[in-house]
Each structure stands twice: as C-alpha cells, then as structure tokens.
Amino acid sequence: EAQVTQNPRYLITVTGKKLTVTCSQNMNHEYMSWYRQDPGLGLRQIYYSMNVEVTDKGDVPEGYKVSRKEKRNFPLILESPSPNQTSLYFCASSPLLDRYLSNEQFFGPGTRLTVL
Amino acid sequence: AQSVAQPEDQVKVAEGNPLTVKCTYSVSGNPYLFWYVQYPNRGLQFLLKYITGDNLVKGSYGFEAEFNKSQTSFHLKKPSALVSDSALYFCAFDQTGANNLFFGTGTRLTVIP
C-alpha cells in the first residue's frame, strides 16, 4: 500500500530533551516536507526537500533540523524542544513530475507532540 | 503578504443539501490552488487543484471548485452533502509550482443527518 508513515504517533517530552520524529514514504517521491498544525493557524511548512541531500527552510524553521540521506526518509529533529513546539506534525511527500507544476501531496497520519 | 483566507471557521448543512466552503486568495501572478480534507485523527487528503484552464475543477468524492479570478475566490462545492463529508477542509496555494503549500486556517464542515 502506498503510504507515508510517521513515528511516533504520540510523544510527550520535557524541555531540552532532543527528539527525532521519523517519516518514511514508499512511493519513490522526490519531494518531502514537514508541516505543523496549530489551532487557528492551519498548517505551516517547517522544512522541505526536493531530493536526496537537498533541503530548504519553509515558513517556520526555527528550532528544527532535517536531513535527507535517503530518498524514502525525511526525519525531523528537535535538538532542544521547547513548549512552543507543542503541536501536531505532518510529513508529506509528492512526486516532482514537472518542476513548475505543483502536484498532489500525500500526508502521513500525524505526530502529536507535547513538550512540558 | 500573499495568502488564502477561509472566512468561515465552521459550516453546518443538512444532509442532501448543497454545500459551499469558501476560500479567497491574495496571490500575485497565476497561483496554483488546492483543497485538502482532514478527517478526524487522519492526515490531510487531496481533493482537487486548479492550475490553469477550465475554471470549474472536479475532484474526489463528488467535490468541485470554481476558480473566479475577478472575485479572487476558489470556493469548494458539492451538490448534495453526506454525513461522511463532515471534516476539516483546507484551502491552500502554491505560488511557484515548487510544491510549497501555504494553507488557510481551515473550515470545519458538519453535515447534519
């Protein structure tokens, strides 16, 4: 089944304790992205990657890191989490059929993170 | 700043009635416009997109949207609502075609049996 998976689905942690949220897709998509969803704000893009070893900042990158060492994986790293990073996080992937033609994105099920 | 706006936080409609979820945009050039739906405890699912061409776009689950350049709107519509359509709907745009989506704040649709 074609899908985007995220782990963990739920995480409660404390301020300053490094964590990683994994994201994996099995559709051979070039493009991957991370979003956070907050009430009243919709989804905001954190980081994105157009291909292996190519990453770039989205709208709200502060406090986050990413890496893209393999095409299928795009982990989100919080080096020193803070309470304002409590949110619902979504990973997404998309084919890049045409560099100038925006394509449907496939979203993972979400990771609910609480930072105490 | 360029953006999309969803003026209604919540829309309620009776089952079988037509539904409209509103979206207006403030984006220069020719934007790519999208609708996504989020069911409870699920990720977002693509419904439809407007790139160019016919202003009426048909999408998944019987939904359609009309691109109106003069009113800068991209409202989502369905002729006959189902209870199973109850969900959170997001309008989004991608200005550059580089897949970087900017989302509206979402509209919660409730279809009453």
Side-chain angles (χ1 to χ4, degrees):
Chain A
E1 180 191 354
Q3 59 183 350
V4 178
T5 56
Q6 295 179 226
N7 283 293
R9 294 289 312 279
Y10 302 91
L11 179 60
I12 300 174
T13 190
V14 296
T15 299
K17 186 176 181 182
K18 181 179 178 180
L19 66 91
T20 299
V21 183
T22 65
C23 172
S24 183
Q25 51 95 3
N26 61 3
M27 295 169 279
N28 202 36
H29 287 165
E30 293 83 4
Y31 180 94
M32 298 185 75
S33 180
W34 276 102
Y35 296 88
R36 60 179 287 174
Q37 182 180 12
D38 301 290
L41 295 176
L43 280 82
R44 294 176 293 168
Q45 191 178 51
I46 303 170
Y47 268 95
Y48 66 96
S49 169
M50 302 286 267
N51 215 324
V52 175
E53 302 292 0
V54 180
T55 63
D56 212 341
K57 296 177 180 178
D59 222 15
V60 288
E62 294 77 20
Y64 305 94
K65 285 175 56 177
V66 293
S67 70
R68 187 91 182 272
K69 294 184 170 60
E70 304 165 285
K71 197 172 188 179
R72 64 182 293 128
N73 295 324
F74 191 45
L76 179 70
I77 303 156
L78 283 73
E79 294 269 3
S80 182
S82 62
N84 65 12
Q85 293 178 298
T86 292
S87 188
L88 181 58
Y89 291 86
F90 289 100
C91 181
S93 74
S94 176
L96 278 181
L97 303 175
D98 182 322
R99 173 64 175 81
Y100 300 102
L101 187 63
S102 195
N103 296 295
E104 169 188 356
Q105 294 195 24
F106 295 80
F107 283 78
T111 294
R112 186 167 292 282
L113 172 66
T114 301
V115 183
L116 302 174
Chain B
Q2 305 193 84
S3 64
V4 289
Q6 295 181 243
E8 299 162 318
D9 290 336
Q10 188 164 259
V11 170
K12 291 184 180 180
V13 63
E15 186 176 24
N17 281 3
L19 70 86
T20 299
V21 183
K22 296 179 180 177
C23 173
T24 58
Y25 65 90
S26 175
V27 182
S28 60
N30 298 313
Y32 302 136
L33 295 166
F34 296 79
W35 277 101
Y36 281 81
V37 60
Q38 185 179 27
Y39 297 103
N41 300 314
R42 302 281 296 275
L44 278 72
Q45 294 179 31
F46 170 81
L47 278 179
L48 52 81
K49 69 179 179 184
Y50 172 81
I51 302 294
T52 187
D54 194 347
N55 289 344
L56 184 64
V57 180
K58 293 191 182 297
S60 307
Y61 312 123
F63 285 93
E64 59 187 29
E66 185 172 10
F67 175 71
N68 188 319
K69 192 168 185 177
S70 62
Q71 296 186 4
T72 63
S73 67
F74 188 57
H75 300 333
L76 181 70
K77 299 183 179 185
K78 187 173 183 181
S80 178
L82 301 172
V83 173
S84 57
D85 292 330
S86 298
L88 189 55
Y89 290 81
F90 289 98
C91 180
F93 78 93
D94 172 4
Q95 187 185 3
T96 64
N99 273 14
N100 298 337
L101 292 176
F102 292 87
F103 286 84
T105 52
T107 298
R108 185 164 299 282
L109 172 69
T110 302
V111 181
I112 303 163

